[in-house]
Amino acid sequence: MLERFGGSFTQQEPIPEAGIEAAIAVLRHGRLHRYNTAPGETSQTARLEQEFAGLTGAKYCLAVASGGYAMGCALRAMGLRQGEPVLTNAFTLAPVPGAISAAGGRPVFIETTEDLTLDFAHLEDLAKSTPSRFLMLSHMRGHICDMDRLMALCDRLGLLVIEDCAHTMGASWNGVSSGRHGRVACYSMQTYKHVNSGEGGFLISDDADLMARAVLLSGSYMLYAKHPAAPPPEVFEQIKLDTPNVSGRMDNLRAAILRPQIAVLAERVRTWAGLYACLEDGLSHTPGLQLIERAQSEVFVGSSFQFRLPGWSKARIGAFLAGTLARGVELKWFGADAPVAFTSRYDHWRYAEPVPLPKTDEILSTLIDMRVPLTFSLDDCALIARIIRSEAMRVGQGPEPEAAELPVIQ
Ligand SMILES: *Cc1c(COP(=O)(O)O)cnc(C)c1O
């Protein structure tokens, strides 16, 4: 009998009891809007911002409606001009180029290395040939590039760095929290990220002018003094009439759900490390399957797992995906011709007029991706690894399969 996995790849943990209680208290008093406070009350949203600033060591923090909103807000706050190019990773998720476009910018994609991070040589070429002031650095799937080298390079090239930390909340590079290298960092609290309020986002920065603009942009009206994690009111005085309101606020219900999750983030990161190590262990030395190397300096969050099947044809990868799916293991593939569910690729984002990137194409055409929800146990991960390993060996070493319909995985 072939082993089969019966668990769900999309089932998150429940909201901590403290979060459920705090959310019910908000529902009972009815003050859901972040500026709707009783005398002397600091709203759940304002407290959440203070707590996340404390966790990351940032001077300022703003909670907003989504990660995509946070990125667009950061670019606007930095003065992005209409049609201005913004350099960004080719290997990223659709909300990243989408946020750049929505803010009036033009995404320009940078090649991808074998360890799924930014290609520095291509970044340098593009920075020299494109009149760009901004790098939107996406730590896609939690893979962090050499941040010390990158920041030195960006300083030399005169690039301001905005970090997309959707997959690196709780991660670090050489002991520095992910999000603390660039001028500003953006996080997502969408259900599949590291804390879950359905939707949500954060910006953090030490730059007072930038953050005051972000607060105004997010829709603070003239209530910015109700932001204990924002710059002092005098910073707002100078810019408050120059900054449009582009509403994208966080609300107290979601903040109430998030606060107890921020408190257990470090614990979650440790659990994910164990699950990731278990998968890596079970898949190491599998013929035909290449694991992604992780840098010594990187403390990553194992909320997803990637590997490559170098040299495999599309038909063979299709047969492998069908084989694992039949045994209950849902894998995603970055090489499909058309975008499927959450998974799309830079050359599918036609509005951005992408130019072909041969290195990225080669990497993504054989890149497999898997969610690792915290509801998985170590035994689950060991079983999943055995199934992937056995299917990789069966399909990888078998005859070339006929091209088959790809299974559709959400
Ligand atoms: C989820 C995600 C975002 C932000 O997404 P929202 O759904 O807008 O919160 C940004 N970048 C990456 C890489 C993501 O996966």
Side-chain angles (χ1 to χ4, degrees):
M1 255 294 275
L2 286 178
E3 285 189 299
R4 200 177 181 289
F5 178 62
S8 165
F9 282 78
T10 50
Q11 182 58 57
Q12 304 308 105
E13 288 190 304
I15 301 302
E17 280 306 319
I20 295 175
E21 274 173 34
I24 288 173
V26 170
L27 291 174
R28 291 227 155 92
H29 67 53
R31 295 186 295 278
L32 272 75
H33 194 280
R34 66 168 299 160
Y35 303 122
N36 183 196
T37 48
E41 184 187 14
T42 304
S43 74
Q44 288 283 346
T45 309
R47 290 211 239 168
L48 171 71
E49 290 166 342
Q50 285 179 301
E51 288 160 6
F52 194 66
L55 185 82
T56 53
K59 266 193 184 159
Y60 311 118
C61 175
L62 172 69
V64 293
S66 73
Y69 182 89
M71 291 185 282
C73 183
L75 286 168
R76 285 195 186 94
M78 293 168 94
L80 178 72
R81 291 188 281 263
Q82 288 300 305
E84 191 172 1
V86 176
L87 304 178
T88 192
N89 305 56
F91 177 47
T92 188
L93 204 76
V96 178
I100 294 170
S101 261
R106 181 169 65 81
V108 176
F109 298 112
I110 305 163
E111 286 273 29
T112 314
T113 64
E114 287 217 342
D115 52 8
L116 305 183
T117 61
L118 209 62
D119 182 322
F120 289 180
H122 192 224
L123 166 65
E124 183 160 4
D125 285 351
L126 283 174
K128 286 178 173 161
S129 62
T130 314
S132 183
R133 297 182 292 153
F134 302 112
L135 168 64
M136 173 69 77
L137 172 65
S138 185
H139 304 295
M140 176 65 166
R141 293 294 186 258
H143 297 272
I144 305 178
C145 66
D146 183 333
M147 290 305 296
D148 304 315
R149 268 187 62 212
L150 178 79
M151 292 317 294
L153 178 60
C154 289
D155 285 347
R156 183 155 63 73
L157 296 169
L159 285 172
L160 294 173
V161 178
I162 302 126
E163 291 186 71
D164 165 21
C165 300
H167 303 161
T168 56
M169 183 189 281
S172 60
W173 177 268
N174 262 341
V176 178
S177 286
S178 182
R180 297 294 292 138
H181 293 88
R183 181 62 61 96
V184 52
C186 306
Y187 300 79
S188 169
M189 289 84 103
Q190 184 251 54
T191 287
Y192 298 110
K193 310 299 161 86
H194 303 170
V195 293
N196 169 18
S197 57
E199 306 288 353
F202 280 129
L203 286 100
I204 60 164
S205 179
D206 289 348
D207 183 326
D209 178 78
L210 187 162
M211 283 303 278
R213 288 177 196 276
V215 168
L216 288 162
L217 280 161
S218 76
S220 66
Y221 309 101
M222 295 300 135
L223 300 166
Y224 44 76
K226 288 194 170 201
H227 282 252
E234 52 277 18
V235 183
F236 289 84
E237 290 302 323
Q238 296 146 31
I239 57 171
K240 66 183 183 189
L241 304 181
D242 299 327
T243 310
N245 177 322
V246 187
S247 287
R249 292 172 299 270
M250 166 65 63
D251 59 84
N252 289 333
L253 188 55
R254 283 183 291 170
I257 292 171
L258 286 167
R259 290 181 56 217
Q261 297 184 63
I262 296 294
V264 297
L265 180 62
E267 211 175 289
R268 288 186 176 180
V269 173
R270 278 195 295 279
T271 306
W272 261 314
L275 299 176
Y276 190 99
C278 179
L279 287 164
E280 203 170 44
D281 208 43
L283 288 173
S284 63
H285 310 296
T286 301
L289 186 152
Q290 191 178 311
L291 297 175
I292 310 296
E293 244 181 83
R294 312 291 312 223
Q296 280 292 323
S297 307
E298 186 189 19
V299 172
F300 59 90
V301 185
S303 53
S304 69
F305 192 92
Q306 292 74 41
F307 59 86
R308 289 182 58 221
L309 300 169
W312 288 42
S313 67
K314 286 191 173 196
R316 204 180 283 280
I317 292 176
F320 166 73
L321 295 174
T324 49
L325 184 63
R327 297 175 66 179
V329 174
E330 294 177 16
L331 302 176
K332 299 185 278 181
W333 179 37
F334 280 100
D337 292 332
V340 177
F342 284 100
T343 307
S344 62
R345 201 174 51 215
Y346 81 94
D347 54 328
H348 299 145
W349 305 326
R350 200 157 63 189
Y351 63 87
E353 298 174 13
V355 296
L357 298 170
K359 273 191 184 172
T360 298
D361 291 345
E362 200 212 315
I363 301 285
L364 296 190
S365 66
T366 59
L367 181 63
I368 308 295
D369 180 35
M370 186 176 95
R371 292 184 196 282
V372 184
L374 283 177
T375 49
F376 282 2
S377 65
L378 289 173
D379 286 345
D380 290 337
C381 288
L383 170 60
I384 289 165
R386 285 197 301 277
I387 292 172
I388 293 175
R389 186 184 172 87
S390 90
E391 288 300 310
M393 290 176 62
R394 181 183 68 79
V395 178
Q397 293 169 7
E400 176 69 21
E402 293 194 17
E405 273 289 291
L406 278 176
V408 173
I409 293 154
Q410 297 305 307

